[in-house]
Amino acid sequence: MNPELDRQPGRNRWPHPGDNPLVRARKIAQMYRARLRALNPNACDDADATAQQFGETWVIPKVVTAEDDDLLDPADAADFLCTSTANIRRLRLAGRLNGHETGAGWKYRVGDLRNLQNGRPREHNRQTEDTHATT
């Protein structure tokens, strides 16, 4: 979540239309966490500990190292973009995200996910994309 989101003029609706209610709630919670961390790190640590006691580890950011050529399955791609697997499929079918069909199902290149996240146009890969299959 971008803590600067509320400072963008003219934004009256959710900026990520493919997000389901759970993803939206998590992004809002992460925004609050980022602000709490900035204002009171000790209080944030206490809240993090409470969340972890209840098994809710998703709220605590994790550093994940991935190379641009690494391939992620739909669930990991959705986590990477903080969206749903259904939206990952919609992005692929709409031609906004390259998909790579493997024997084990669809995979998504980390570099393509980063480009989409950063608003850069994708590079079309005709050999590995089939817009008629499912995620």
Side-chain angles (χ1 to χ4, degrees):
M1 184 69 190
N2 179 358
E4 303 296 317
L5 185 62
D6 65 339
R7 296 186 190 149
Q8 297 178 13
R11 292 278 178 132
N12 294 330
R13 60 193 151 140
W14 190 249
H16 311 285
D19 289 352
N20 64 33
L22 176 62
V23 170
R24 289 173 66 153
R26 286 186 173 190
K27 286 181 178 180
I28 294 292
Q30 299 235 329
M31 178 192 65
Y32 275 98
R33 184 190 179 279
R35 290 188 179 168
L36 177 60
R37 168 72 56 202
L39 295 172
N40 190 335
N42 291 332
C44 187
D45 289 342
D46 289 344
D48 286 349
T50 300
Q52 285 182 312
Q53 286 174 353
F54 291 114
E56 299 295 337
T57 57
W58 61 267
V59 76
I60 302 161
K62 297 175 199 157
V63 176
V64 177
T65 304
E67 301 297 324
D68 279 352
D69 288 330
D70 291 347
L71 295 176
L72 302 180
D73 64 28
D76 289 336
D79 283 346
F80 187 92
L81 291 180
C82 201
T83 192
S84 65
T85 55
N87 194 46
I88 293 295
R89 180 176 183 269
R90 278 191 291 270
L91 289 166
R92 179 176 47 78
L93 293 174
R96 295 186 56 211
L97 177 63
N98 282 334
H100 305 273
E101 182 155 23
T102 68
W106 285 96
K107 302 286 183 176
Y108 300 91
R109 192 176 152 274
V110 170
D112 293 336
L113 295 167
R114 283 188 178 127
N115 286 341
L116 183 65
Q117 190 175 50
N118 294 325
R120 292 187 294 236
R122 74 185 185 104
E123 293 178 17
H124 187 69
N125 185 344
R126 299 181 132 217
Q127 294 175 320
T128 58
E129 186 176 39
D130 177 1
T131 58
H132 299 294
T134 61
T135 340

